[in-house]
Amino acid sequence: MTSPPSSLQQHFALTLAKFIIRVNELGWQVTFGEAYRPPETAALYAQQGRGIKESLHTVRLACDLNFFKNNMYITATKELETVGAIWEAQDSLATWGGRFGDGNHMSFGFGGHK
Ligand SMILES: [Zn+2]
């Protein structure tokens, strides 16, 4: 995948930081999951059916977050719709992975990928 400009990667990071603060104010806590994913790892994951080779993680435009509410780890995508909607309201490029079954995945659409 073509590399996005550093300014876009920086904008993604800052938008994610603001999102984490916003959801924290609403009673959610987060821990980091995977952010940057080397292309060779993305290729391996794709072979294992755990993602796509052209993952936005490989261009620093995606981050997986683990969500907690009242110290309960929330894993069901359906229960993350609230935070997904908040993420997508943060920026016109923001896409929530819950739309394709991965509620922990926050990304910026780029190069035809989400
Ligand atoms: Zn992800």
Side-chain angles (χ1 to χ4, degrees), residues 32-55:
F32 285 116
E34 197 170 357
Y36 175 66
R37 181 180 301 163
E40 54 272 24
T41 303
L44 181 64
Y45 282 11
Q47 284 176 1
Q48 298 170 341
R50 297 169 55 202
I52 58 170
K53 193 173 169 222
E54 298 277 292
S55 168

Side-chain angles (χ1 to χ4, degrees), residues 37 57 64 102 105:
R37 181 180 301 163
H57 287 277
D64 301 326
D102 185 356
H105 178 90

Side-chain angles (χ1 to χ4, degrees), residues 4-20 32 34-36 56-57 59-65 87 90-91 93-95 104-109:
S6 181
S7 59
L8 183 61
Q9 295 166 323
Q10 293 165 17
H11 181 56
F12 171 73
L14 183 60
T15 303
L16 190 66
K18 291 175 179 173
F19 166 75
I20 291 168
F32 285 116
E34 197 170 357
Y36 175 66
L56 288 166
H57 287 277
V59 292
R60 304 182 193 280
L61 290 179
C63 184
D64 301 326
L65 297 174
W87 170 246
Q90 294 281 122
D91 192 281
L93 292 174
T95 301
N104 303 93
H105 178 90
M106 309 289 147
S107 65
F108 266 14

